[in-house]
């Protein structure tokens, strides 16, 4: 928590990955010691509309001499994401982070399996990059609506030491199946841990599967956020004990066992 | 040198910028951006006798130049505040205003009686204006008779200043303000959030789980200013604390001119965790530029046409 800072980052590169998704490379003057699963609050607006920053998972980060270069993968869905898509290179954006609790990669056993759905890819990709560095072998399942929305396939192939399995809802690439159904079909008994990010229905299915298989699952949730730093209580998630926890602080990565039924 | 120190009634403040209830945690959550002791005061999240879970999700949605929230007063309860939070605030010499919430008169009294056993509390701010809970809160804030009875019942419990945070949703905010002052309130905080609705056209449902929520942010600033000025004109002797959409030093000045002795910064903290400090720095710079030597000169200085 003490590592978090609010700083201006400069947009140095953008690449279109699909009709609605793009990658942003940003450089910031101070360190950004983000762990996979952590996020930043990004502010692009000089006026009161849009008013609030938006949360984005860090997809990867590299220290520079004094600061850091980091990557975000963004899907255009509304005001701020549209602004990010059209922001000229060299522009400054406000970046507050790193925030929240990421995946616990040190305790995910000998062969974790990673699952990404749609624009849930960024934290999973960052986790994959980190596991590769740590020399941990793992498989990765990645599903999207259709072929163009399966982002960065060749990069993912390179990073994943074990199997990288792709599927689409419409069958335009890989099997036509939900990624969680495919994971169930191809489940290996050596899977020691499950890490996932994606839409809520997918995460519910992941949590059910993990429980059936007796494997711990960590889920990166995406709740709407206002502050990102634990003071508004807008982003809460219901826990198994019936209390609400701010997902920007206690999450966004939760163990499935911590969460209330159907959270 | 600009003199920033000011007072709200009998309470001395080192400057007129306060962090608003519900937007600054319990005062210790943003130490790395905005230490509480740097501010005129911090107002805590509303505290009830027992911890409250709060409302179901989704609880927030952004709207043009504002946001609607329905947190439902999720809080750790007065006991945990006294044991886990207050000692550190005391140690840091922060000026602490505790926002108090109850569903009944007795609940308000319970919270205040517990807090009376503690040192290091500068004032109480009664939240009688939360639009997001079914019982208590807004009921008191809408009905002058109920409010008079509430304030009169709490008044004997403490020598500390009692502020009453008013609802802009009351049928007659002026009548409610007068009732609070007559019953012994030391100051009025205005305003809380405006009851509002955001609709998701695609799902045909409200954007947040409770349907209605409270609107805050720059969108409400002109409405809040209007209420501050109306109450100041009607009850000029009542100290006022202004709040609603303050994002900059000039915004703060506008509230002071309309009659507020101090102001609170709320939603702006969500956009920038050090917003209270930037508002303070900008206020000081404004005074310097305009040759204002004492910030109190501004209070009520609006020149009405
Ligand atoms: C911890 C966390 C990490 C995230 N990481 C990423 C990421 O790496 N890449 C990415 O593209 N997005 C990510 N998101 C989602 C992203 O924050 C939203 O897409 C963004 O806030 C939308 O802003 P906007 O101004 O473009 O949309 P708005 O104009 O605010 O809203 C447009 C539409 O998007 C919907 N929406 C708003 N917020 C969210 C949300 N949190 N989740 C889903 N839908 C939402 C709204 O309901 C509305 O229908 C993350 C969210 C969280 C909480
Ligand atoms: C998320 C959120 C939570 C709030 N919680 C409280 C509360 O617990 N008690 C209270 O009196 N006011 C609460 N408020 C109201 C604010 O203190 C303030 O009156 C209002 O937001 C208007 O100011 P602003 O536009 O600067 O935010 C809350 C506001 C928001 C946005
Ligand atoms: S986003 Fe404000 S508490 Fe989490």
């Amino acid at each position: 928590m003490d590592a978090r800072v609010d700083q201006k980052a400069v947009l140095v590169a953008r690449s279109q990955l699909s009709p609605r998704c793009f990658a942003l490379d940003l450089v910031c003057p101070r360190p950004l010691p983000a762990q996979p699963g952590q996020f930043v609050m990004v502010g692009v607006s000089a006026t009161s509309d849009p008013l609030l920053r938006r949360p984005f998972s860090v997809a990867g980060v590299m220290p520079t001499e004094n600061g850091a270069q980091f990557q975000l993968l963004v899907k255009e869905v509304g005001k701020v994401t549209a602004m990010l898509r059209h922001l000229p290179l060299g522009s400054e954006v406000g970046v507050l982070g790193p925030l929240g609790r990421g995946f616990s990669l040190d305790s995910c056993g000998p062969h974790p399996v990673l699952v990404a759905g749609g624009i849930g890819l960024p934290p999973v990709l960052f986790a994959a990059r980190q596991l590769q560095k740590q020399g941990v072998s793992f498989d990765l399942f990645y599903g999207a609506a259709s072929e163009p929305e399966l982002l960065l396939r060749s990069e993912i192939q390179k990073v994943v030491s074990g199997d990288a399995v792709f599927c689409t809802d419409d069958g335009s690439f890989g099997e036509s199946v939900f990624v969680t159904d495919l994971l169930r079909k191809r489940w290996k008994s050596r899977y020691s841990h499950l890490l996932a990010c994606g839409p809520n229905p997918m995460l519910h299915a992941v949590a059910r599967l993990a429980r059936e298989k007796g494997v711990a699952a960590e889920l990166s949730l995406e709740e709407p956020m206002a502050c990102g730093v634990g003071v508004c209580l807008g982003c809460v998630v219901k826990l198994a004990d019936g209390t609400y926890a701010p997902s920007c602080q206690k999450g966004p990565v939760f163990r499935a066992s911590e969460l209330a039924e159907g959270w | 040198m600009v003199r920033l120190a000011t007072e709200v009634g009998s309470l001395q403040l080192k400057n007129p910028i306060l962090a608003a209830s519900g937007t600054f945690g319990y005062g210790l959550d943003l130490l790395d951006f905005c230490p509480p002791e740097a501010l005129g005061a911090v107002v805590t999240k509303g505290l009830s006798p027992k911890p409250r879970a709060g409302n179901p999700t989704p609880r927030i949605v952004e709207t043009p130049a504002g946001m609607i929230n329905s947190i439902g007063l999720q809080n750790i309860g007065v006991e945990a505040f006294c044991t886990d939070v207050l000692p550190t605030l005391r140690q840091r010499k922060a000026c602490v205003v505790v926002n108090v919430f109850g569903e009944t008169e007795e609940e308000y009294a319970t919270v205040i009686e517990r807090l009376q056993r503690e040192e290091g509390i500068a004032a109480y701010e009664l939240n009688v204006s939360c639009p997001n809970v079914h019982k208590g809160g807004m009921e008191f804030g809408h009905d002058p008779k109920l409010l008079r009875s509430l304030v009169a019942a709490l008044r004997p419990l403490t020598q500390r200043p009692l502020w009453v945070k008013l609802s802009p949703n009351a049928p007659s905010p002026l009548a409610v303000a007068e009732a609070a002052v007559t019953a012994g309130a030391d100051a009025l905080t205005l305003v809380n959030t405006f009851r509002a609705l955001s609709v998701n056209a695609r799902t045909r449902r409200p954007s947040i789980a409770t349907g209605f929520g409270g609107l805050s942010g720059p969108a409400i600033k002109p409405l809040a200013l209007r209420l501050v000025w109306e109450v100041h004109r009607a009850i000029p002797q009542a100290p006022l604390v202004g709040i609603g959409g303050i994002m900059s030093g000039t915004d703060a000045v506008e509230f002071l001119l309309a009659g507020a002795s101090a102001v609170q910064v709320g939603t702006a903290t969500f956009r920038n965790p050090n917003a209270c400090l930037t508002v303070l720095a900008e206020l000081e710079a404004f005074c310097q530029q305009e040759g204002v030597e004492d910030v109190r000169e501004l209070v009520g200085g609006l020149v009405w046409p």
Side-chain angles (χ1 to χ4, degrees), chain B residues 265-285:
Chain B
V265 175
T267 301
T269 293
F270 300 160
R271 177 178 164 113
N272 270 325
N274 67 348
C276 290
L277 291 182
T278 42
V279 170
L280 177 59
E282 289 170 11
L283 170 64
E284 187 170 13

Side-chain angles (χ1 to χ4, degrees), chain B residues 55-228:
Chain B
N55 286 340
T57 60
R59 289 178 172 183
I60 49 169
V61 64
E62 184 167 324
T63 55
M67 64 178 280
I68 298 177
N69 88 81
S70 179
I71 309 300
L73 287 163
Q74 175 173 350
N75 78 91
I76 57 175
V78 66
E79 192 56 47
F81 173 75
C82 291
T83 49
D84 303 343
V85 184
L86 193 54
T88 311
L89 285 170
R90 226 168 8 221
Q91 202 186 351
R92 300 184 73 103
K93 301 199 163 40
C95 180
V96 180
V97 176
V98 178
N99 186 274
V100 177
F101 174 79
E103 289 185 359
T104 58
E105 251 180 50
E106 291 70 37
E107 286 196 4
Y108 282 95
T110 306
V111 176
I112 289 181
E113 279 166 347
R114 176 64 189 87
L115 292 165
Q116 279 300 107
R117 309 208 317 254
E118 300 289 336
E119 287 180 10
I121 294 168
Y124 301 117
E125 181 180 74
L126 306 180
N127 178 3
V128 295
S129 45
C130 181
N132 301 323
V133 287
H134 290 303
K135 276 194 286 182
M138 199 131 107
E139 281 172 25
F140 290 105
H142 279 195
D143 182 340
K145 266 213 220 84
L146 276 180
L147 185 62
R148 193 175 303 126
S149 145
L150 176 71
V151 175
L154 301 177
R155 184 65 283 179
L157 301 180
T158 181
Q159 303 279 321
R160 290 174 175 157
L162 271 184
W163 299 0
V164 175
K165 185 161 177 183
L166 296 183
S167 167
N169 306 302
S172 168
L174 258 183
V176 177
E178 263 155 15
V181 172
T182 317
D186 297 278
L188 304 173
T189 305
L190 44 175
V191 292
N192 209 316
T193 54
F194 287 76
R195 209 141 88 104
L197 175 65
S198 161
V199 173
N200 183 322
R202 209 174 33 76
T203 62
R204 303 190 177 193
R205 301 172 67 88
S207 305
I208 58 176
T210 51
F212 296 127
L215 179 64
S216 65
I220 70 169
K221 193 185 81 172
L223 300 167
L225 272 171
R226 187 260 295 171
L227 282 160
V228 170

Side-chain angles (χ1 to χ4, degrees), chain A residues 11 13-26 40-44 54-60 70-87 93 95 118-123 125 142 148-149 151-152 222:
Chain A
L11 179 63
R14 173 177 36 230
S15 45
Q16 202 66 34
L17 304 176
S18 79
R20 288 178 69 192
C21 295
F22 49 93
L24 299 177
D25 291 305
L26 298 127
V40 290
M41 292 296 283
V42 174
V44 281
R54 298 292 191 271
F56 294 96
S57 299
V58 176
F70 63 100
Q71 188 178 57
L72 304 177
L73 306 180
V74 179
K75 180 171 185 174
E76 184 178 341
V77 297
K79 276 186 201 167
V80 171
T81 48
M83 288 169 83
L84 286 171
R85 179 165 174 182
H86 297 108
L87 204 66
V93 299
V95 171
I119 194 60
L121 179 67
L125 180 59
Y142 177 23
E149 299 295 322
L151 314 176
L152 298 170
E222 291 192 0

Side-chain angles (χ1 to χ4, degrees), chain A residues 1-2 4-6 41 45-54 79 96 223-227 229-237 242-246 249 263, chain B residues 22-25 28-33 45 53-60 62-67 71 74-75 216-218 247 267 269-274:
Chain A
M1 161 177 156
D2 292 304
R4 66 186 186 184
V5 291
D6 186 12
M41 292 296 283
S45 161
T47 66
S48 337
D49 193 15
L51 179 65
L52 303 169
R53 304 190 196 211
R54 298 292 191 271
K79 276 186 201 167
L96 171 61
E223 292 302 317
M225 292 181 178
C227 71
V229 290
V231 293
C232 75
L233 301 179
C235 66
V236 296
V237 174
T243 62
Y244 287 106
Q249 261 187 341
W263 68 87
Chain B
T23 63
F24 205 74
L28 298 174
D29 298 74
L30 299 175
L31 294 179
D32 44 345
F33 296 109
K45 177 77 191 160
N55 286 340
T57 60
R59 289 178 172 183
I60 49 169
E62 184 167 324
T63 55
M67 64 178 280
I71 309 300
Q74 175 173 350
N75 78 91
S216 65
M247 305 293 287
T267 301
T269 293
F270 300 160
R271 177 178 164 113
N272 270 325
N274 67 348

